[in-house]
């Protein structure tokens, strides 16, 4: 299978060199991401972000993997971290920000998302983190649209720190595609 023989970095290199279509890159990079099950509809790949619709779960999302997740070792997760903005027809009007962290966050404090010069204190449970409320979701999404990168950082239960870095090229288009993809299904 091609996925086993081609790492994410190698796939991105082929895309940059113009040797791999974006659709194939999308399939390789997001195969383990939420919505990767059969029936998911690709809404497009925009820079480092993809947009998908999952009709079975009635949701759409923009999603990306970090360009630099925390290095392996310690309490690293076997699955890949990601950042996503989800939309559900008929539910909350804006998107919901969700981050899968590269490390399980410790019990004290919460991870911090830094984007566009702003910092957001997230709510975490294990390796998952979210905005505290819809107002924070909206503020994060607005910040994403005007920034070039974001970083989520935190502390593990053992006291070690971690940072996951994301490139934001294409995020606005992916968010719009996910939002429109679910708005069309209302």
């Amino acid at each position: 299978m091609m996925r086993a023989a081609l790492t994410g970095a190698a796939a991105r290199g082929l895309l940059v060199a113009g040797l791999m279509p974006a659709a194939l890159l999308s399939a390789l990079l997001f195969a383990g991401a939420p919505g990767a099950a059969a029936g998911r509809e690709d809404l497009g790949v925009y820079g480092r972000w993809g947009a998908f619709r999952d009709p079975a779960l009635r949701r759409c999302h923009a999603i990306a993997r970090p360009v630099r997740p925390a290095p392996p070792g310690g309490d690293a997760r076997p699955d890949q971290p990601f950042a996503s903005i989800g939309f559900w027809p008929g539910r909350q009007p804006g998107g919901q920000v969700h981050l899968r962290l590269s490390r399980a966050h410790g019990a004290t404090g919460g991870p911090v998302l830094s984007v566009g010069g702003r910092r957001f204190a997230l709510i975490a449970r294990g390796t998952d983190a979210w905005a505290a409320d819809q107002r924070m979701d909206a503020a994060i999404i607005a910040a994403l649209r005007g920034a070039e990168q974001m970083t989520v950082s935190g502390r593990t239960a053992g006291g070690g720190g971690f940072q996951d870095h994301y490139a934001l090229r294409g995020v606005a288009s992916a968010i719009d595609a996910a939002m429109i993809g679910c708005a069309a299904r209302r």
Side-chain angles (χ1 to χ4, degrees), residues 110-165:
V112 174
L113 178 68
S114 300
V115 58
R118 297 191 59 191
R119 294 171 53 86
F120 301 93
L122 303 175
I123 305 295
R125 185 171 42 233
T127 57
D128 294 301
W130 301 269
D133 55 31
Q134 289 181 2
R135 187 179 312 222
M136 185 184 288
D137 278 323
I140 291 170
I141 291 168
L144 290 172
R145 290 179 175 279
E148 294 181 12
Q149 62 184 9
M150 74 174 181
T151 302
V152 61
S153 57
R155 293 250 170 241
T156 66
F162 68 89
Q163 290 187 334
D164 299 330
H165 302 271

Side-chain angles (χ1 to χ4, degrees), residues 3 28-36 63-66 68-83 98-105 125-129 162 164 166:
R3 183 169 181 248
L28 290 171
L29 293 181
F30 299 109
I63 187 166
R65 288 194 174 162
R68 286 191 334 246
D75 52 358
R77 292 189 47 87
D79 55 339
Q80 294 292 316
F82 62 83
H98 173 223
L99 294 140
R100 171 74 39 86
L101 307 172
S102 61
R103 303 278 196 280
H105 194 274
R125 185 171 42 233
T127 57
D128 294 301
F162 68 89
D164 299 330
Y166 292 83

